[in-house]
Amino acid sequence: MTARGRPRLPAWTATLTWKSAVFITVMCCALAALLGALVHASVSRQTEDDFRERALTRLTTASRAYEAGDPLPRAAGIDPEDLPDELRALALNGERGTMAGEYRDRPVMWAAGPADGRALAVRVDYSTGTEIIDGLDRSIVGSSVLAIGATLLVGAFAVTRVTRRLHLTAQVARRISAGDLDARVDDPRTKVPGRPQDEVATVSGALDTMASSLQRKLQTEQRFTADVAHELRTPLTGLSAAAELLPEGRPSELVRDRVKAMRGLTEDLLEISRLDARNETVDLATHDLGPLARGVVRASGTETEVRVLRDAMVETDRRRLERVLGNLVANAHRHGAPPVVLTVDGPVVTVRDHGAGYPEYLLASGPQRFRTESGGKGHGLGLTIAAGQAEVIGAELVFGNAPDGGAEARLTLPKYVPFTDP
């Protein structure tokens, strides 16, 4: 039901196939009704005129017999009881005419004319005419139903071919938006330049062109980022060694701190470049999740509480998993507020702080590099790397805000099922 109480139509009624079927049905019914009415009116008028002509011919024969004093032909008489009153009045006024009516519950065509102040009338059996018209109506209805059915089948087949191509184009567009830049529609109608193209082929070709252009631009940006980060490593290494030679003091501490930050940023950019290239390989092994999480917290040197509700054995890449958990813990301390709690519940690890929570853009679109809104230091690369590494190891990373406040990141690892020999 809708908000106003009206019933909501099923979702399939909004499809192009359904709308096309309704349109074709309505147009076929309207066309069949119009043609049927025209044919019915034309045949009915022609049949009626034929029987009127027959009735008038018999009336002429009966009038001659009446004037000659001969016996009247069969189905003729003076002032018959079943003669319609309108036709009787017309004959009494000295005019001739015809009218469809009944005689003993059978359809007849009456013809009447004047005869010494009375009405001389003849009748012609009209049942054959009514049967012709009834048979014609049945034929019109039957042929219309067959024509509508055949048109629906042909129309549904044609529309389904178009909608199937549209669904394929939409599916490829969704794959591209999900990050699969190699996805293409590859409509065969776009392969030959001189081949005529319909609108769907034009859209498919435009989507493929856009995807290729987007892929080239992204690959260029990824290569540029990787090249810049790689070229920065050498001077930063020298700068770091030179900073160590400076005399102790506040200026040297500031220099070392900035050099360390630049080296960390460079390493993050290199890691993101490798993740964007999607050629990472994983080194799988089985690990106890609880001890691994405790080790990550100890290595971080932060005040993070570890709660192991249910330990679990997971098969994953230890280095990448430690990178994901370390980034989540560091982000919680950098942008959130204590206490920070890491919880292990089976194959699910939750990192929660008690700060202002994740910003709306992150909840809606995921982490974005070089964008932070919490007021703390950072480049937005930590959560981006965490999300990328989680995807590499086949884990699901979901960002959300706790009901009572604070940011909450939930990492769900693939459950490890040990092989048992029966």
Side-chain angles (χ1 to χ4, degrees):
M1 300 292 288
T2 61
R4 298 183 179 180
R6 292 178 297 180
R8 186 186 299 273
L9 294 176
W12 52 266
T13 58
T15 61
L16 181 61
T17 303
W18 164 254
K19 293 179 179 179
S20 300
V22 172
F23 175 77
I24 292 173
T25 303
V26 172
M27 293 303 297
C28 286
C29 290
L31 183 60
L34 177 62
L35 293 178
L38 293 176
V39 172
H40 173 85
S42 176
V43 175
S44 297
R45 182 171 59 253
Q46 183 177 357
T47 304
E48 187 175 344
D49 290 344
D50 182 51
F51 276 87
R52 289 182 187 276
E53 189 67 26
R54 294 183 189 180
L56 289 174
T57 301
R58 290 192 179 184
L59 179 62
T60 301
T61 302
S63 297
R64 291 175 181 173
Y66 178 79
E67 292 174 358
D70 297 333
L72 295 177
R74 184 181 177 183
I78 301 296
D79 291 332
E81 295 180 359
D82 293 335
L83 184 66
D85 294 337
E86 295 86 350
L87 190 58
R88 188 189 304 275
L90 185 66
L92 294 178
N93 288 332
E95 298 181 9
R96 302 176 66 183
T98 58
M99 179 178 292
E102 291 186 354
Y103 177 75
R104 295 180 181 179
D105 297 330
R106 290 180 61 86
V108 295
M109 179 64 70
W110 290 97
D116 298 331
R118 293 182 297 176
L120 174 62
V122 297
R123 62 182 183 275
V124 176
D125 189 7
Y126 194 46
S127 58
T128 305
T130 57
E131 291 175 358
I132 293 174
I133 296 175
D134 293 340
L136 175 66
D137 292 340
R138 289 192 296 269
S139 300
I140 291 174
V141 172
S143 59
S144 299
V145 171
L146 291 177
I148 292 173
T151 305
L152 273 177
L153 289 177
V154 175
F157 175 74
V159 173
T160 301
R161 292 189 61 186
V162 175
T163 55
R164 187 183 300 115
R165 294 166 59 197
L166 289 175
H167 284 307
L168 176 60
T169 304
Q171 182 181 3
V172 171
R174 286 190 291 267
R175 288 173 56 190
I176 293 173
S177 64
D180 185 6
L181 299 181
D182 293 325
R184 297 291 185 274
V185 180
D186 287 332
D187 194 320
R189 297 166 182 80
T190 61
K191 299 299 181 182
V192 182
R195 182 176 181 179
Q197 298 181 7
D198 56 8
E199 289 78 1
V200 180
T202 302
V203 173
S204 301
L207 178 63
D208 288 347
T209 303
M210 181 199 70
S212 300
S213 176
L214 178 62
Q215 186 178 33
R216 287 193 298 270
K217 290 182 180 179
L218 289 178
Q219 289 175 348
T220 301
E221 293 178 0
Q222 291 170 7
R223 285 194 298 268
F224 175 77
T225 303
D227 293 342
V228 169
H230 183 74
E231 293 298 327
L232 284 176
R233 295 181 74 179
T234 301
L236 283 176
T237 301
L239 186 60
S240 178
E244 295 296 331
L245 300 177
L246 294 175
E248 295 296 331
R250 183 60 179 169
S252 61
E253 291 180 2
L254 292 176
V255 171
R256 293 189 189 101
D257 181 67
R258 292 300 88 197
V259 171
K260 181 179 178 181
M262 290 184 65
R263 290 189 65 179
L265 176 59
T266 302
E267 294 298 330
D268 288 345
L269 289 175
L270 283 173
E271 187 170 357
I272 286 179
S273 299
R274 290 192 296 267
L275 291 173
D276 288 340
R278 295 182 180 273
N279 54 6
E280 295 285 282
T281 58
V282 293
D283 183 14
L284 296 179
T286 57
H287 305 279
D288 290 325
L289 191 55
L292 188 148
R294 290 191 180 95
V296 170
V297 171
R298 283 195 302 269
S300 68
T302 59
E303 295 292 333
T304 303
E305 180 183 356
V306 179
R307 299 175 183 173
V308 180
L309 305 181
R310 233 174 5 104
D311 202 355
M313 182 76 72
V314 294
E315 185 178 18
T316 186
D317 189 322
R318 182 187 184 95
R319 180 185 65 83
R320 298 183 188 278
L321 178 57
E322 289 176 345
R323 178 67 160 155
V324 173
L325 296 180
N327 281 15
L328 294 178
V329 171
N331 183 82
H333 283 280
R334 181 177 299 167
H335 301 289
V340 176
V341 181
L342 186 150
T343 305
V344 177
D345 187 4
V348 180
V349 182
T350 304
V351 179
R352 181 193 172 183
D353 62 59
H354 291 75
Y358 290 119
E360 291 297 330
Y361 81 88
L362 192 147
L363 298 178
S365 306
Q368 299 179 15
R369 57 194 72 175
F370 296 104
R371 178 175 180 180
T372 58
E373 294 184 359
S374 60
K377 298 179 180 180
H379 305 281
L381 300 181
L383 294 183
T384 303
I385 293 174
Q389 295 288 15
E391 182 180 357
V392 171
I393 62 178
E396 180 185 10
L397 181 57
V398 179
F399 300 97
N401 291 328
D404 54 347
E408 184 178 78
R410 181 182 298 271
L411 179 70
T412 304
L413 294 162
K415 190 174 182 180
Y416 173 65
V417 180
F419 176 76
T420 56
D421 190 352

